[in-house]
Structures are given as structure tokens and as C-alpha cells.
Amino acid sequence: LGGSVVRVPYACDGSGSGYISGLIDATYKPGMTESECVEFVTKAVSHAMARDGSSGGMIRTLVITKDGLKESALEGNKLPFGP
């Protein structure tokens, strides 16, 4: 069958990913702080949700560090971007 494993700086997949690929390309930057990463993900997912009816009603984030996990949730009516 073949195949390969290629290291990339980020990945985007799912039903709304086609709507936000350009946004991710334009706004991703290496070395972001934790808060910048959460803001980046929240903005990207909210844009996907606005375009794709299958992309849920809220955003749940999970930050994984050497110190543990930080979970958060943002309800659909509080998103930074919407229809």
C-alpha cells in the first residue's frame, strides 16, 4: 500500500476544515503562547461552526502541558465569530 509519515507544524481535519484552511494558513505562527493558541483555535473553530452545520454548538478546548490538563468550554452564543 505504501504511505508516509511527514512532520508538519499543524493539522486541520473534520467537516468544517475546508472552510478554515486559508484562515489557519494566514494566522498560525510558530511559538505562540498558551493564550495565543487557545485564541487561535477558538477563532478557527468558530469560523468553521459558522459555515458548517455539523460543527457542533460549542467549543471545548483542552490544553496539555507537563503540569497537567486545562479544560474549558465556550458556549455557542459567546463565540468570537458567528453567523
Side-chain angles (χ1 to χ4, degrees):
L1 287 169
S4 62
V5 176
V6 179
R7 188 174 297 272
V8 295
Y10 60 85
C12 176
D13 194 24
S15 61
S17 63
Y19 299 108
I20 61 170
S21 295
L23 175 67
I24 290 173
D25 289 341
T27 57
Y28 171 81
K29 61 182 185 207
M32 287 189 280
T33 65
E34 180 181 311
S35 63
E36 288 173 324
C37 287
V38 171
E39 182 180 338
F40 166 75
V41 168
T42 301
K43 180 178 181 179
V45 174
S46 67
H47 274 270
M49 290 170 62
R51 301 280 187 257
D52 177 36
S54 299
S55 288
M58 66 184 307
I59 297 174
R60 296 178 193 268
T61 57
L62 179 64
V63 177
I64 304 169
T65 68
K66 64 179 174 53
D67 299 321
L69 306 174
K70 291 183 192 172
E71 295 181 68
S72 65
L74 188 60
E75 297 171 3
N77 63 341
K78 297 177 183 168
L79 297 177
F81 179 82

